[in-house]
Amino acid sequence: MKIDHIAIYTNDLERLKDFYEKYFSAVSNSKYHNPKTGLETYFLSFENGARLEIMTRPNLNTNEAISPFCGFIHLAFSLGSKGTVDSLTNRLVEDGYTLLSGPRTTGDGYYESCILDPDGNQIELVA
């Protein structure tokens, strides 16, 4: 058994697709649109076979949860080396994305930094 994909809603489908393509080399399928519900989606595929489904629809609830909360907290991308973590972290910060922490070695042995994607989802860059 394996997880097939993770899905997240967004209010700006194209902006989020562009972010994951630009910084994480995601490859997108063609946009799916359900005219009855207004749902629009992309599946973003990554080199190792992982997939992220990004979705939008009319009238999304944008209620912000107070952290910490129960539920999904972050996506982690394994970049293979400390140098790659440092490089991508610097690139994202230079491009205006929010750095939450790092790069640093965590208590459980990861070398990581944490940034926010354009929608405020926490992304961990790990080596």
Side-chain angles (χ1 to χ4, degrees):
M1 184 182 312
K2 70 176 186 171
I3 294 173
D4 184 75
H5 67 275
I6 303 288
I8 56 177
Y9 272 120
T10 179
N11 280 314
D12 192 334
L13 194 62
E14 299 302 323
R15 177 184 68 175
L16 205 57
K17 178 178 82 70
D18 293 345
F19 173 82
Y20 286 101
E21 287 176 332
K22 179 176 181 178
Y23 296 105
F24 297 94
S25 302
V27 176
S28 177
N29 70 339
S30 298
K31 186 190 313 184
Y32 167 77
H33 178 242
N34 181 327
K36 290 181 182 178
T37 65
L39 175 71
E40 297 179 24
T41 71
Y42 286 111
F43 272 95
L44 306 177
S45 298
F46 300 91
E47 184 176 322
N48 70 348
R51 295 188 311 153
L52 176 64
E53 182 180 16
I54 56 174
M55 309 179 302
T56 194
R57 67 181 334 127
N59 304 316
L60 282 178
N61 179 358
T62 57
N63 183 23
E64 294 184 17
I66 298 172
S67 185
F69 59 91
C70 292
F72 289 102
I73 300 302
H74 65 259
L75 297 174
F77 288 88
S78 178
L79 303 182
S81 73
K82 290 180 179 182
T84 306
V85 170
D86 292 343
S87 177
L88 184 53
T89 300
N90 290 336
R91 184 175 168 209
L92 287 160
V93 170
E94 288 172 4
D95 289 352
Y97 294 97
T98 301
L99 176 67
L100 297 177
S101 66
R104 65 190 178 95
T105 301
T106 64
D108 56 359
Y110 281 101
Y111 185 77
E112 72 173 29
S113 64
C114 297
I115 60 102
L116 296 179
D117 77 6
D119 283 352
N121 298 303
Q122 185 172 317
I123 307 298
E124 286 186 0
L125 310 175
V126 303

